[in-house]
Amino acid sequence: MPAFDHNELTGLRRWAHAILDQHHGREIFQTSTMGALLNGVYEGDLTIRELLRHGNFGLGTFNRLDGEMLVLDGDCYQLRSDGSATKADLSERTPFAAVTWFKPDRTIEVSTPCDRAALKSLIDQTLESTNLMVAVRTTGLFGSLRTRTVTEQHPPYRPFTEATQDQQEVTFTDVHGTLAGFRMPEYEQGISVAGYHSHFIDDERRHGGHALDYQLVHGTVEVAVRSELHLSLQRTQGFLSAELEHDDLDDQIRRTEGG
């Protein structure tokens, strides 16, 4: 093995860090698929501790659908059906989640009130293309925000379209907080969730859920474009034996995600 002097070692380390930073800056890491979740594959083999080695921003759910997941600033929060939010145990596991190392490419200041449709349109107008993946973080004051959270499931597991019929909805008013999630291309429907998919948590990190609808009074939108998807498939028996082809997959996902 060749010997390197101090300057050479320093140069090698900088090169390695630059390569890793460049790679992390383009990638979304995802475990399992939305199609598997639709099929009732609610028990994954990836721990939250391992998930956080792949990103500091993202969303998903927990085994048995025990709450919505939000990863923000490197912390993983469990958003439960009563609207509460707590930090997740790192030993918990997830059947579906997506994370990235968040560093915004652009920032949009929103100074006039806009609803969900208007905000999505505003973000889309800033994108060079809708064929790439986008991580979106919106912080500000929400005049109203309606969330849902799935309830914990028990075997034998029902399909996701049936499980979400038990979801609990909570509406927040005049709340400061953060919407975090992704805008995925239409062609990724079934692998991920096409379009916008966001989870919310308030500034105190005590309440939140899956965002169904909202009115943003004012705030800041940060956008990070991603071009690589690292898809990590499960080796659980549930995933290996699942039927992952759905004729009405798009309709099922849109119904379970609230449009």
Side-chain angles (χ1 to χ4, degrees):
M1 182 176 179
F4 296 98
D5 63 27
H6 176 73
N7 290 334
E8 289 174 322
L9 284 172
T10 300
L12 283 171
R13 291 192 185 100
R14 288 175 178 169
W15 173 82
H17 288 157
I19 293 296
L20 287 172
D21 286 344
Q22 184 182 36
H23 178 65
H24 284 156
R26 296 195 303 258
E27 180 183 281
I28 291 174
F29 173 90
Q30 181 178 304
T31 178
S32 194
T33 69
M34 189 62 194
L37 206 64
L38 285 175
N39 198 256
V41 182
Y42 301 153
E43 295 192 37
D45 50 11
L46 187 77
T47 66
I48 303 306
R49 179 179 287 104
E50 176 61 27
L51 179 70
L52 294 179
R53 292 173 182 160
H54 296 279
N56 61 0
F57 174 97
L59 46 66
T61 187
F62 296 88
N63 274 8
R64 303 175 306 283
L65 300 186
D66 189 16
E68 309 281 351
M69 177 195 298
L70 176 59
V71 176
L72 195 60
D73 299 325
D75 291 319
C76 181
Y77 296 92
Q78 194 162 7
L79 315 174
R80 296 189 180 276
S81 58
D82 62 355
S84 66
T86 57
K87 281 190 180 181
D89 190 316
L90 296 180
S91 64
E92 287 272 3
R93 297 177 186 270
T94 174
F96 176 82
V99 294
T100 190
W101 296 102
F102 192 82
K103 183 178 181 181
D105 295 307
R106 62 181 62 90
T107 299
I108 307 166
E109 296 297 335
V110 179
S111 57
T112 58
C114 59
D115 60 16
R116 181 188 183 197
L119 185 62
K120 292 192 296 184
S121 178
L122 178 64
I123 297 169
D124 283 352
Q125 291 172 24
T126 72
L127 301 177
E128 180 182 4
S129 171
T130 56
N131 290 334
L132 297 177
M133 302 168 292
V134 184
V136 182
R137 172 173 173 157
T138 303
T139 57
L141 171 63
F142 296 85
S144 64
L145 192 142
R146 185 165 60 93
T147 67
R148 74 100 197 271
T149 303
V150 291
T151 56
E152 184 177 3
Q153 302 295 300
H154 303 279
Y157 294 127
R158 300 174 293 167
F160 197 53
T161 52
E162 295 180 23
T164 52
Q165 293 176 6
D166 298 335
Q167 68 187 22
Q168 300 295 313
E169 293 191 12
V170 176
T171 298
F172 301 96
T173 57
D174 298 325
V175 58
H176 290 268
T178 300
L179 273 177
F182 297 98
R183 186 204 188 284
M184 303 300 266
E186 290 297 321
Y187 60 79
E188 284 198 25
Q189 187 76 306
I191 299 297
S192 304
V193 176
Y196 286 88
H197 179 194
S198 300
H199 291 178
F200 173 79
I201 194 166
D202 65 5
D203 279 354
E204 289 74 32
R205 305 293 195 259
R206 295 177 59 188
H207 302 93
H210 172 104
L212 293 173
D213 200 10
Y214 52 81
Q215 178 86 15
L216 177 66
V217 178
H218 59 76
T220 300
V221 181
E222 296 172 295
V223 176
V225 179
R226 297 291 179 262
S227 58
E228 296 182 11
L229 178 64
H230 179 155
L231 183 60
S232 177
L233 299 178
Q234 300 179 22
R235 290 181 176 268
T236 62
Q237 188 56 47
F239 183 86
L240 296 176
S241 61
E243 175 55 61
L244 300 181
E245 295 183 7
H246 302 267
D247 292 334
D248 60 343
L249 183 144
D250 181 73
D251 178 64
Q252 287 189 53
I253 292 177
R254 294 190 186 280
R255 280 191 286 133
T256 59
E257 293 299 311

